[in-house]
Amino acid sequence: MPHDPDKLNRIEELKTKLSSKGYEVKAKARNVFSATPQKTVPDSWENDTPSNDFTEKFLMKTSVFKRFFIFSIAFFLLAAGFAAYTFFGKGNTISNENIEISILGNAFTAGGEELPLQIEIINRNTSPLELADLIIEYPRNASFDFTRDTERLRVSLGTVPSGGVRNENVKVVLFGEQGSIKPIRVSLEYRVEGSNAIFVKEKSFEVSISSTPINLFVEGPTALSPNQDITLDIKAILNATRAAQRMLIKVDYPVGFQFASATPAPTIGNNMWSLGDLSPGAERKISISGKMVEVSDGEEKTFRIYSGSESTRDKTEIGTIFNSLGHTVAIQKPFIEASLSINGAYQREYAVDSKTKIHGSIVWSNNLNTSINDVVIKAKISGNAVNRSTIETQGFYNSSEDTITWDKNSISELGQVGPGRTGTVAFTFESIPLTSPGGGMLPEPSARIDVSIAGRQPITDNAEDLKNTESKIIRIISDVNFAAKALYYSGAFTNTGPIPPKAEQKTTYTVVWSVTNTANNISNAQIRSTLPQWVRFVGPISPPAENLNFNPSTKEIIWEIGNMPRGLGVTGAAREVSFQVELLASLSQVGTTPVLVNDMVLTGRDDFAKVDVRVNKGSINTRLQNDPSFPVTGDRVVE
């Protein structure tokens, strides 16, 4: 291909310029000092991404938003700072420091008496306090807990202007132990102009109780052995200048205390007493007896006594507590110990029936690390159920004092008991019959056993320096009797059908249940039984007032007796009910005496012995032994 001469000349001319020294100088001068930057020509073609106008604009807008966001935050912080300065700063603002609460009142008051207080509110702010409320809080009862039983008074003050003063006179009634400090909390709630927030200013005022409306005193041991009897004597004296109405005393027992009795008896349960209306200076006494059971050596048990007025909403509770008092008892293991068990069981109260012999076992022990000399164990047996002529023991029974004594004369080992040594002594006796042939009856039969143990340490030469006691109560269960019989020729109903009964023919019988009771009241008594498959419940009941029911689906008969008073059937007539059943014997029963009523059981609760009673009775069949007109051969089924 021919070459173009013009092009060749231009190329040669360009080479000459590039090799020229003057050209290089000029090029460097332009590159360094030229005001307009020169673009670099690439040596080869490259895949560079061309500039995007949209990206540049987006970055420009983002920068604008960022500046606006920073400006917004700065403005918010300045506004918040200004608001805080406006509300809490000094000068032309509102601050709690510029609000003054003054409480004027006696620092001492008698419990139950009105205590007048003058409360002054001063607003030293340059702005008013709007919708201001004054709140007075104090314990309603003899406690320090603001979370419950708190009395609250709210007084509306309206608007307290700048520089304004508000004075309020209130009266409070405080209760508590003598010398105790009771807090009164005064709060001012208010709002400020342009805000719905509620601001609070508080101040406390303490008052000492100089005297109580009711003085409480308690006398009792401060140390006890496990399973030892305890008696607390409580005395309440009205110390007010005016009468108190519907006063109550409540005692909270510690865990492990077993209540036995009290004088006077509790009004509600076993720990609440109604003192009624008390005049100034009136005095009431309460004596509580019990036993510390299931406690361990080293424990401390606290009895808490409360006094106050009856609640208007619940008469079984104290509405306002005037005073409270605690009594703490330390549990300590005795130096010398005697533990009594009855019929193999160790508990405070026992219940046995009148036919069971009573076995008493006393385990004695020396808990010291030194010897004890001349140990004497005594058991005093008392109660109306003790048959004194049946007492048997290894020790000496003194019938004139009803006391059994074990000492070194009867057991040589008791002369000197070494450290940690133990032993056992025992006795037995029986209960007397609960009824006498003449119709007499023993009311609430029981026996009490009081055990004491004493000895002396050789170094003290004191015969009574170590001792311990224990008591047990034995309640005799009432003799409850249940009789059941079937009749044909006698009874409350007229019966029909062949005698002896014939297979595949119907014969009716009258069933009679009767119950008697001796010494103690029986509650919630009932008799249950069922009918066999071949017997149908006919339905007549006599007397109709008795609560006897039959369930056809289960064939169960239930007689709800309810209460069985002591002496039922002994000092008066027995209680009984009659109903009629129908026998339809089968050929498979020929030559047998079919059952008319299955096994029966009587259950109830002995209210004195505090145990459930149960009497079982066997089934009744067609051999009517209690019907005087019934033939000897009239019991077996014939064809």
Side-chain angles (χ1 to χ4, degrees), residues 193-229:
E193 184 179 0
S195 174
N196 291 326
I198 298 177
F199 300 91
V200 180
K201 169 82 172 185
E202 293 184 352
K203 186 168 184 179
S204 296
F205 183 72
E206 292 185 342
V207 179
S208 177
I209 304 298
S210 59
S211 62
T212 62
I214 287 188
N215 287 333
L216 291 176
F217 305 92
V218 60
E219 292 183 1
T222 57
L224 279 178
S225 303
N227 302 298
Q228 188 173 354
D229 292 333

Side-chain angles (χ1 to χ4, degrees), residues 352-355 358 382-388 429-447 474-479 517-521 565-568 570-571 606 608-609:
V352 299
D353 61 75
S354 60
K355 301 176 181 60
I358 298 170
S382 58
N384 61 353
V386 178
N387 189 340
R388 300 164 67 235
F429 66 91
E430 299 177 6
S431 170
I432 63 175
L434 301 184
T435 59
S436 62
M441 184 176 57
L442 190 66
E444 298 185 346
S446 64
I474 304 169
R475 302 177 189 270
I476 308 301
I477 303 172
S478 184
D479 288 337
N517 181 33
T518 56
N520 309 323
N521 183 75
R566 57 185 297 269
L568 180 66
V570 179
T571 59
D606 189 316
F608 174 71

Side-chain angles (χ1 to χ4, degrees), residues 336-606:
I336 187 170
E337 186 175 9
S339 301
L340 170 64
S341 61
I342 302 296
N343 291 353
Y346 186 82
Q347 56 195 51
R348 174 173 168 76
E349 295 187 358
Y350 304 82
V352 299
D353 61 75
S354 60
K355 301 176 181 60
T356 299
K357 180 178 284 190
I358 298 170
H359 295 265
S361 179
I362 303 173
V363 178
W364 53 265
S365 61
N366 175 12
N367 298 324
L368 295 174
N369 54 8
T370 59
S371 296
I372 299 176
N373 294 341
D374 299 332
V375 174
V376 178
I377 304 171
K378 292 185 177 183
K380 182 175 179 60
I381 304 175
S382 58
N384 61 353
V386 178
N387 189 340
R388 300 164 67 235
S389 62
T390 63
I391 294 178
E392 297 179 358
T393 179
Q394 182 183 358
F396 172 68
Y397 171 56
N398 186 339
S399 60
S400 61
E401 297 180 355
D402 290 325
T403 301
I404 303 174
T405 301
W406 297 269
D407 56 17
K408 62 184 179 181
N409 295 319
S410 54
I411 301 176
S412 59
E413 187 179 4
L414 297 178
Q416 184 178 33
V417 178
R421 292 295 301 274
T422 65
T424 304
V425 295
F427 60 91
T428 63
F429 66 91
E430 299 177 6
S431 170
I432 63 175
L434 301 184
T435 59
S436 62
M441 184 176 57
L442 190 66
E444 298 185 346
S446 64
R448 179 184 174 96
I449 304 173
D450 297 295
V451 173
S452 64
I453 183 170
R456 62 179 181 85
Q457 292 177 283
I459 58 175
T460 63
D461 196 25
N462 185 350
E464 295 293 331
D465 63 337
L466 299 176
K467 60 182 179 180
N468 191 31
T469 61
E470 187 170 75
S471 300
K472 305 292 182 184
I473 295 176
I474 304 169
R475 302 177 189 270
I476 308 301
I477 303 172
S478 184
D479 288 337
V480 180
N481 295 310
F482 167 35
K485 61 185 178 181
L487 306 171
Y488 183 85
Y489 295 102
S490 59
F493 309 111
T494 300
N495 297 293
T496 60
I499 292 293
K502 291 185 178 182
E504 300 181 349
Q505 293 190 28
K506 299 176 180 180
T507 301
T508 61
Y509 296 87
T510 297
V511 179
V512 182
W513 287 346
S514 62
V515 292
T516 61
N517 181 33
T518 56
N520 309 323
N521 183 75
I522 304 296
S523 58
N524 299 322
Q526 68 170 205
I527 295 175
R528 288 177 175 265
S529 183
T530 58
L531 297 181
Q533 185 178 357
W534 50 87
V535 177
R536 183 177 71 90
F537 187 83
V538 175
I541 299 173
S542 179
E546 288 295 340
N547 187 10
L548 187 140
N549 299 287
F550 175 72
N551 188 334
S553 60
T554 61
K555 305 201 75 173
E556 185 178 31
I557 306 172
I558 303 176
W559 182 22
E560 297 287 358
I561 303 171
N563 189 57
M564 294 174 59
R566 57 185 297 269
L568 180 66
V570 179
T571 59
R575 187 170 171 182
E576 68 178 27
V577 65
S578 301
F579 56 93
Q580 198 172 40
V581 297
E582 181 183 80
L583 169 66
L584 180 59
S586 173
L587 290 173
S588 61
Q589 294 174 307
V590 173
T592 67
T593 56
V595 171
L596 298 176
V597 180
N598 292 324
D599 291 348
M600 298 152 282
V601 58
L602 180 150
T603 58
R605 177 76 177 178
D606 189 316

Side-chain angles (χ1 to χ4, degrees), residues 95-101 122-123 125 129 188 190 201:
S95 170
N96 269 349
E97 295 182 2
N98 295 329
I99 299 174
E100 182 178 339
I101 300 178
I122 303 176
N123 179 17
N125 291 284
L129 310 179
L188 177 67
Y190 63 93
K201 169 82 172 185

